[in-house]
Amino acid sequence: MTQVNRLDGGLIDRSTPLGFTFDGRRYGGFAGDTLASALVANGVRLVGRSFKYHRPRGIISAGSEEPNGLVELRTGARREPNSRVTMTELHDGLVAASQNRFPSLGFDLMAVNDRLSNFLGAGFYYKTFMWPKAFWERVYEPVIRRAAGLGALSGEDDPDVYDRGFRHCDLLVIGAGPAGLSAALTAGRAGAEVILVDEDFRAGGRLLQESFGVGGVSGADWAATVVAELQSLPNVRLMPRSTAIGVFDHGIHAVLERTGDHIAAPDAGKPRQILWRVYARRSLLCAGATERLIGFADNDRPGIMQAGAVRGYVNRFAATPAEHVAVFTNNDDGHRTATDLAAAGVDVAAIIDSRPDAPKSEVAEVLAGAVVTGTGGRLGIGHVDIRLAGGGRKHVQCGALAVSGGWNPNVHLTCHHRGRPAWQDDICAFVPGEGVPPGMAVAGAARGVFSTAGTIGDGQAQAIAQLAEIGIAAAADTLPEAEDAPVRVTPLWHVPGKKRAWLDQQNDVTVKDVKLAHQENFRAVEHLKRYTTLGMAGDQGRTSNVLGLAIMAELTGKSIAETGTTIYRPPYTPTPIAAFAGRSVGRDFRPTRLTPSHHWAAEQGATFVEAGAWLRAQWFPREGETHWRESVDREVLATRNSVGVCDVSTLGKIDIQGRDAGAFLDLAYSNTFSTLAVGKTRYGLMLREDGMVMDDGTTARLGEMHYVMTTTTANAGSVYRHLEFVRQCLRPDMDVQLISATDSWAQFAVAGPNARRVLQELVDPQHDISNEGFPFMACGAISVCGGVPARLFRISFSGELAYEIAVPARYGDSMIRALMAAGEPWGITPYGTEALGVMRIEKGHVTGNELNGTITARNLGMARMVSAKKDSIGAVLAGREALVAEDGLCLVGLEALDDGQVIAGSHLFDAEGPVDAAHDRGYVTSAAYSPHIGASIGLGFITRGAERHGEVVRALNPLEGRSALVRICSPHFIDPEGERLRG
Amino acid sequence: MASLTQTTALGGTIPFDETIGGNRIREVSEAAMASLAMLKGQGAAFKKAAASRLGELPAPGHAVGHAAGHGGGGNHASTIWMGPDQYLVEGIDAATLAATFGASAAITDQSDAWVRFDVTGGDVVAMLERLSGADTRRMQAGSATRTAIHHMHCVIVCRAGGTDFTILGPRSSAASLHHALVAAAASL
């Protein structure tokens, strides 16, 4: 198909023809076209169907506010629904398809909704889907969801990458129209760090779309000259295809840069889009303005467009929407469209100017004081019905209607801190009001300065003022000559009539809907919005809001200023979720931490589990093992019978030094550490200020003023933060320094009756690690393998004779291999977190499962660990009456009877009696199959637990519909006397 | 008896070194690192010891170079400001520092706590601005800042403005940090 509506001239590159398809049909365009301009040039008026009524719709704008021209772009996994044709740069081979229609755009069965429109007005859902309640989720929601939405997702993973980034500048200029270019030039020449962002791929804004000149050259040429100078300045960064979508605290702006949308597919590794966080000391909003339409009957027919967009297509893209174009306006701007159309050789069928004092035109008949009362045509406009000033009727044939209802400044970003726009009568529009984000100023059309000369001057002046605030002196330059016409507009929001007149074309909101909202008392603007969905479309009401609230103002008899606007929130334009996710997708969702033995464990085929950010070996399956329990049982028994090894580097390690280190620990822990001998380790219990247990672990004293604290893996960060708070805020007088040493050491638990024999193979012979020379709870600096520095701790989580040996992390991989080799004669077995868990349950050691934030030392049977001889954090509140009650929860062991299973999370009830909250006696915190006992066991809390050993109770898990009879026992299933670990 | 061998933070026996586009990313594993924190009331002794071995101490947001001692420092050995009276010393091992500072400072070996990547080249700033909120474009030689890269606590030290930076990150997250750096370099 030839480009029937293509004109001469324009800013397109005719030496680079491009081919594309729309709904399977091939078309041609040129470099410099948008998909919208190429469709206009090819005479394609019908591009989509509306959301609710499936009305045929065409392109109405040439910018990011486009509500109708939404298509599915690209194919396969890269298919992207709801892409605005006006923001889609044409490239060769581009594939686009219309959406929300069945079976085709021209013939859409769902258009039956339009016939039913009397039933589908505002509030339809709220009124219709009320009864019966049982239908809400089962019937109504699926039906509504199926009917809702426009385009469809591909359902496949997005193959592209999205980046995030951070930039800093003195002045962020948002928008590269005349005001923005002028501001950036002024600031750039002054040496300020400037970032200029613009959502278009070519800088110039309206200058590209208008025919008038600036400084003796065309607007586009002036813009190009400014851009060239800006590009030559190292302190200025131009960011085309970049939209400022939000303004946040402290000068932070979110800017979405579309780096790969204008090509078929980004190169491997290159992002499709980058979401920038721009830290700006000052910002200047030069976002321009959006032209309003006017409400009249059937004003949504394809071919009805903003007058400014029509001239944009003619001047910038050399494309006319039709051979015969009529103009409907309430201000002088509409006449410019007529002039430009005529200059391009397009017939202007009529200028319908609602103002009785409309100016004359040299290019077409002006119908002063006339209004459009209706339109006709199949799948596009064919004629307009006009009511003349004297009341007569007129019928004008045309293929397009250019409508201008005045211009609305794009104030949206000024509202992101709850700023409220103010009504300005002389231009009939809202301008930025109070509450503009700190550091932001507004220039040009965005604050109602509409003439070209005005915007260029305002951009310069506002830039100078913004820079002065941060101590940068910028000079005013001579301004280029440009048009300086005043705004002459007489309000016309809608032409009264019986037929539907559209306000929000994307969400199908009509004048009638606003009237219905008024009638049903949804009169406040925020209520109007939610009741009718006015302004809830992708354009955030840029094409509809002011019309809607002006009509509401008419109905309520209030002024528009009193009626006000709804609040605008980020993002300014639709933004893919992928851009927010950035690189945080799939396996890279969060960074991971790897243990020093990770690569070795992976070689062994270990199954890994996430613990905090760590990947820990969960168990090490062996050939022939078909179930994880087989692996875990084997690991447990091998450790208990001979020796096992486990990487425990993930436990938090905090290095504590200073003359007050002991006193500091006495404060942080409920028990005493200042009396701990050098070379010894002690178990410590750390309470929160409210007396609940926060964490536990062992702390070793390596020197007079040097301790190393161990925390649980999950709490390493929070305990460190807590200790820093104590150090910096509670006791800044103490001489103590903290630093994390978690990553510094590769630490391995070597446990089992043969643990010492294995270690003796590696520990350098000058160190005596015999039971006498290195007894239970000893610690010290040693060396291994001929002089490698190491630390040895004789502590046991498993209940066996056990050590933890630490070497600098760089030796970790080598150390696990050395341990495995040294332990081979004793059948050393690596064990993972599951076996670790089984063994600690068997031994009755608590972890995060038990330390759930509601548990006190007394609940754990450790009341004596809260020393009364000293002050410590949490000691006072641990003594609260309810916390020391005799019938409080008490840690117990639980053993399943009759081959039953203890399930963690089950609640405990007496063997007989009702099952309800009032009779809840406690709960199960941990459970495991103990290969040592040969039964399912667990740990839990039950009231008066210490007195109830031997009693049988019920463990009920109603969520899973399971129950078990369990016998209460000591939590120490194994070696309660501790003979093994002291052996 | 077995002998132990060293691996780098990334798990290799030789440090990672790759040039992607205009940027070189090099893992530096040979530099000794130690934390140095002044103990209370020891200001005079601390400053005297610092002057004798480290020279000038860096102000907040800065790193000051010094002569590397035992342990080496790659191309660079600096004292990096980490907090009030707290520093990270590159290129001098903890034992040497302990001998120098005596009881005036808390010193902890941090050689194995960090992974260090030196990134150099003409596009380094473009790469770093995809990773960190720090204003690396304005950083000059001797600027240093704590920052977050993909949720990881990192330190960025500028060795030469615009072209030469060191990134320190948690050793256990070396693979994740490395992935982030390589992806950023490849995305330019």
Side-chain angles (χ1 to χ4, degrees):
Chain A
M1 189 171 174
T2 55
Q3 299 169 40
V4 291
N5 286 344
R6 190 66 84 178
L7 307 169
D8 291 333
L11 303 174
I12 50 171
D13 176 10
R14 287 167 204 268
S15 65
T16 311
L18 306 171
F20 70 101
T21 66
F22 176 63
D23 275 348
R25 235 173 126 175
R26 292 193 55 79
Y27 299 98
F30 296 107
D33 262 328
T34 61
L35 176 56
S37 69
L39 289 169
V40 169
N42 282 285
V44 179
R45 290 196 302 184
L46 176 65
V47 296
R49 289 275 174 171
S50 70
F51 180 76
K52 195 159 133 188
Y53 300 124
H54 290 252
R55 302 261 298 184
R57 290 285 165 79
I59 297 162
I60 68 165
S61 77
S64 63
E65 71 270 32
E66 177 60 35
N68 283 348
L70 306 178
V71 296
E72 286 176 356
L73 211 56
R74 303 182 284 272
T75 55
R78 288 199 165 86
R79 189 173 81 202
E80 191 172 354
N82 306 340
S83 300
R84 289 157 293 163
V85 292
T86 48
M87 297 303 288
T88 302
E89 241 170 284
L90 198 65
H91 61 80
D92 204 36
L94 179 144
V95 178
S98 60
Q99 50 190 34
N100 202 35
R101 80 287 188 273
F102 179 81
S104 74
L105 193 55
F107 177 69
D108 180 5
L109 287 173
M110 290 298 282
V112 68
N113 279 4
D114 198 30
R115 308 269 178 206
L116 302 173
S117 64
N118 277 343
F119 305 101
L120 298 175
F124 165 70
Y125 290 148
Y126 311 130
K127 293 168 186 165
T128 310
F129 298 114
M130 295 287 287
W131 300 281
K133 191 175 172 184
F135 275 30
W136 286 0
E137 284 177 21
R138 290 201 193 134
V139 180
Y140 295 149
E141 185 180 324
V143 167
I144 293 169
R145 282 197 185 283
R146 210 171 304 132
L150 292 165
L153 291 166
S154 71
E156 296 175 52
D157 284 349
D158 190 329
D160 292 319
V161 296
Y162 297 78
D163 252 335
R164 265 178 289 181
F166 309 83
R167 280 182 174 166
H168 300 252
C169 62
D170 294 319
L171 184 67
L172 170 66
V173 181
I174 300 163
L181 286 173
S182 169
L185 190 62
T186 303
R189 284 176 178 169
E193 284 282 339
V194 179
I195 292 176
L196 172 60
V197 302
D198 191 87
E199 60 183 353
D200 206 334
F201 58 91
R202 180 167 176 157
R206 280 304 306 174
L207 292 177
L208 308 179
Q209 308 196 27
E210 301 291 357
S211 56
F212 41 69
V214 177
V217 297
S218 75
D221 285 348
W222 182 81
T225 309
V226 174
V227 166
E229 180 172 346
L230 292 174
Q231 280 168 336
S232 74
L233 297 172
N235 53 317
V236 177
R237 279 176 286 180
L238 282 88
M239 295 175 63
R241 303 185 179 97
S242 301
T243 309
I245 57 168
V247 185
F248 303 92
D249 286 341
H250 312 300
I252 291 175
H253 297 70
V255 173
L256 182 74
E257 183 181 11
R258 298 175 301 278
T259 48
D261 278 357
H262 61 292
I263 46 182
D267 291 338
K270 305 282 191 277
R272 175 173 289 284
Q273 297 176 341
I274 305 171
L275 185 59
W276 293 99
R277 183 189 293 187
V278 177
Y279 300 81
R281 296 174 73 195
R282 288 292 181 275
S283 67
L284 191 58
L285 181 68
C286 305
T290 301
E291 196 166 20
R292 284 193 294 266
L293 296 168
I294 297 169
F296 53 87
D298 291 333
N299 62 341
D300 65 332
R301 241 179 251 288
I304 301 176
M305 304 169 79
Q306 295 163 332
V310 169
R311 29 185 214 284
Y313 285 115
V314 169
N315 292 326
R316 176 175 175 180
F317 299 107
T320 179
E323 277 180 71
H324 307 281
V325 182
V327 176
F328 181 28
T329 186
N330 67 349
N331 66 89
D332 284 1
D333 224 50
H335 291 256
R336 283 183 179 160
T337 301
T339 308
D340 288 358
L341 282 166
V346 180
D347 172 52
V348 181
I351 302 174
I352 304 122
D353 191 325
S354 62
R355 300 171 297 174
D357 59 343
K360 295 272 176 285
S361 171
E362 291 179 5
V363 300
E365 180 190 10
V366 177
L367 304 172
V371 292
V372 174
T373 55
T375 67
R378 196 183 118 67
L379 301 179
I381 189 167
H383 70 265
V384 290
D385 298 316
I386 300 161
R387 189 177 68 229
L388 299 170
R393 300 275 168 182
K394 192 175 166 83
H395 186 86
V396 171
Q397 300 286 331
C398 62
L401 178 66
V403 181
S404 180
W407 292 76
N408 290 329
N410 288 326
V411 300
H412 305 71
L413 292 185
T414 69
C415 303
H416 285 185
H417 289 194
R418 291 200 77 81
R420 290 289 183 180
W423 183 254
Q424 191 174 317
D425 256 331
D426 60 332
I427 59 169
C428 297
F430 282 100
V431 293
E434 286 179 9
V436 175
M440 176 182 273
V442 189
R447 70 180 192 101
V449 178
F450 286 149
S451 80
T452 310
T455 57
I456 293 173
D458 199 37
Q460 175 173 293
Q462 298 294 339
I464 291 171
Q466 284 291 73
L467 293 175
E469 285 188 22
I470 50 172
I472 299 173
D477 286 306
T478 315
L479 296 170
E481 276 189 34
E483 65 82 27
D484 203 10
V487 175
R488 283 198 301 237
V489 57
T490 305
L492 175 66
W493 311 114
H494 70 121
V495 179
K498 284 192 174 165
K499 295 181 81 177
R500 284 173 297 165
W502 261 263
L503 302 175
D504 186 326
Q505 300 210 14
Q506 193 179 112
N507 277 0
D508 274 342
V509 181
T510 64
V511 174
K512 253 168 102 174
D513 291 323
V514 176
K515 288 180 176 167
L516 188 64
H518 173 259
Q519 185 185 316
E520 300 188 342
N521 207 23
F522 291 95
R523 296 178 187 182
V525 285
E526 296 287 359
H527 288 163
L528 168 68
K529 171 177 172 178
R530 277 143 191 94
Y531 197 58
T532 63
T533 72
L534 174 82
M536 284 165 69
D539 71 341
Q540 270 200 21
R542 273 198 277 167
T543 58
S544 62
N545 242 15
V546 173
L547 288 181
L549 57 92
I551 291 163
M552 181 56 87
E554 265 178 33
L555 294 166
T556 55
K558 288 182 182 170
S559 69
I560 297 176
E562 286 170 317
T563 305
T565 63
T566 53
I567 200 86
Y568 300 108
R569 297 186 178 85
Y572 174 60
T573 51
T575 304
I577 299 292
F580 292 110
R583 298 272 178 176
S584 302
V585 290
R587 288 172 51 124
D588 301 321
F589 181 64
R590 285 283 182 272
T592 53
R593 301 177 77 178
L594 303 182
T595 65
S597 68
H598 182 87
H599 297 296
W600 171 83
E603 285 169 25
Q604 311 307 308
T607 299
F608 292 99
V609 61
E610 286 179 32
W614 291 96
L615 295 183
R616 296 189 75 178
Q618 198 170 12
W619 61 81
F620 295 83
R622 282 209 183 144
E623 213 174 311
E625 290 175 342
T626 56
H627 189 275
W628 65 270
R629 262 277 309 283
E630 289 179 58
S631 310
V632 173
D633 289 356
R634 171 181 51 74
E635 289 170 15
V636 169
L637 291 173
T639 302
R640 294 237 183 266
N641 294 333
S642 181
V643 61
V645 60
C646 181
D647 191 326
V648 292
S649 310
T650 60
L651 295 173
K653 296 177 275 292
I654 302 171
D655 207 62
I656 301 166
Q657 296 187 47
R659 285 166 193 81
D660 294 324
F664 178 80
L665 286 168
D666 286 347
L667 177 65
Y669 274 132
S670 67
N671 51 328
T672 307
F673 278 81
S674 53
T675 56
L676 182 66
V678 172
K680 287 291 184 185
T681 304
R682 182 170 286 168
Y683 175 77
L685 201 60
M686 193 178 290
L687 306 187
R688 297 191 315 223
E689 198 67 79
D690 66 358
M692 300 297 168
V693 178
M694 177 181 179
D695 200 55
D696 71 340
T698 58
T699 289
R701 189 165 195 177
L702 298 177
E704 266 312 309
M705 40 187 256
H706 187 192
Y707 293 78
V708 174
M709 176 189 286
T710 306
T711 74
T712 56
T713 297
N715 286 338
S718 54
V719 168
Y720 188 83
R721 191 168 61 222
H722 169 70
L723 294 184
E724 274 292 351
F725 173 78
V726 175
R727 183 182 84 87
Q728 294 184 34
C729 304
L730 301 184
R731 294 303 302 271
D733 57 309
M734 280 188 169
D735 178 31
V736 63
Q737 288 286 347
L738 311 170
I739 193 154
S740 168
T742 307
D743 280 13
S744 293
W745 298 92
Q747 195 151 322
F748 299 96
V750 183
N754 287 316
R756 185 181 299 123
R757 292 187 182 92
V758 173
L759 284 178
Q760 276 167 337
E761 298 288 317
L762 300 175
V763 173
D764 288 339
Q766 67 268 33
H767 305 289
D768 177 10
I769 62 166
S770 68
N771 199 32
E772 298 70 35
F774 205 82
F776 182 58
M777 297 308 262
C779 70
I782 58 161
S783 64
V784 297
C785 301
V788 171
R791 286 175 179 171
L792 188 65
F793 308 86
R794 188 161 163 202
I795 50 180
S796 176
F797 199 43
S798 58
E800 298 298 325
L801 165 68
Y803 298 82
E804 288 187 11
I805 181 145
V807 293
R810 69 185 62 187
Y811 295 108
D813 181 82
S814 191
M815 187 67 185
I816 184 67
R817 293 173 202 273
L819 282 165
M820 291 304 294
E824 203 181 352
W826 293 279
I828 192 167
T829 300
Y831 63 94
T833 55
E834 282 296 326
L836 183 90
V838 171
M839 287 190 281
R840 70 96 192 163
I841 293 170
E842 288 177 339
K843 182 62 184 170
H845 281 151
V846 296
T847 61
N849 292 21
E850 284 73 34
L851 308 182
N852 58 21
T854 69
I855 291 302
T856 64
R858 173 176 283 267
N859 296 147
L860 295 172
M862 297 180 183
R864 283 183 307 155
M865 283 191 71
V866 184
S867 170
K869 293 182 194 154
K870 64 175 179 76
D871 183 30
S872 67
I873 291 171
V876 172
L877 290 182
R880 281 180 284 167
E881 202 177 327
L883 297 187
V884 296
E886 287 302 314
D887 61 348
L889 292 172
C890 183
L891 181 72
V892 293
L894 301 163
E895 188 178 341
L897 304 180
D898 313 326
D899 284 336
Q901 201 181 346
V902 185
I903 309 271
S906 301
H907 276 241
L908 300 170
F909 294 86
D910 294 340
E912 302 286 337
V915 176
D916 53 32
H919 294 83
D920 192 336
R921 305 292 180 225
Y923 55 93
V924 181
T925 51
S926 301
Y929 175 79
S930 164
H932 178 78
I933 308 282
S936 173
I937 61 167
L939 298 176
F941 294 101
I942 192 163
T943 53
R944 296 184 298 100
E947 308 160 14
R948 298 171 76 168
H949 291 187
E951 197 179 312
V952 173
V953 295
R954 285 172 294 166
L956 302 180
N957 184 341
L959 272 182
E960 294 181 26
R962 299 175 68 170
S963 67
L965 282 179
V966 298
R967 179 179 290 121
I968 299 172
C969 57
S970 157
H972 310 295
F973 292 90
I974 189 169
D975 190 26
E977 307 304 319
E979 284 165 10
R980 291 184 184 219
L981 43 79
R982 290 189 174 81
Chain B
M1 183 178 283
S3 65
L4 298 184
T5 54
Q6 305 183 13
T7 50
T8 72
L10 279 176
T13 49
I14 50 168
F16 173 90
D17 187 348
E18 191 180 343
T19 298
I20 300 168
N23 292 325
R24 180 179 180 199
I25 302 169
R26 193 165 64 88
E27 182 188 10
V28 178
S29 61
E30 69 272 21
M33 308 266 279
S35 63
L36 171 68
M38 188 180 85
L39 290 176
K40 206 156 285 292
Q42 302 294 313
F46 181 84
K47 284 182 181 118
K48 193 173 163 201
S52 74
R53 184 61 188 84
L54 303 174
E56 193 192 342
L57 283 169
H62 287 85
V64 174
H66 56 74
H70 176 70
N75 294 328
H76 305 283
S78 301
T79 305
I80 304 163
W81 186 91
M82 296 290 276
D85 297 322
Q86 295 178 332
Y87 307 91
L88 188 61
V89 180
E90 299 173 293
I92 305 176
D93 67 316
T96 306
L97 283 177
T100 307
F101 283 85
S104 71
I107 290 154
T108 304
D109 186 4
Q110 293 271 292
S111 305
D112 291 64
W114 302 87
V115 57
R116 170 173 158 184
F117 292 104
D118 283 1
V119 288
T120 52
D123 294 332
V124 170
V125 169
M127 172 183 158
L128 291 178
E129 67 179 14
R130 300 279 174 94
L131 296 166
S132 157
D135 191 358
T136 48
R137 187 173 149 100
R138 290 205 202 197
M139 285 174 83
Q140 294 300 317
S143 303
T145 186
R146 300 175 82 148
T147 185
I149 295 178
H150 287 212
H151 309 282
M152 289 171 276
H153 165 225
C154 292
V155 178
I156 296 181
V157 185
C158 180
R159 311 292 191 180
T163 58
D164 193 346
F165 290 82
T166 286
I167 299 170
L168 299 171
R171 183 185 176 105
S172 59
S173 295
S176 292
L177 180 57
H178 173 252
H179 173 77
L181 296 182
V182 168
S187 73
L188 299 179

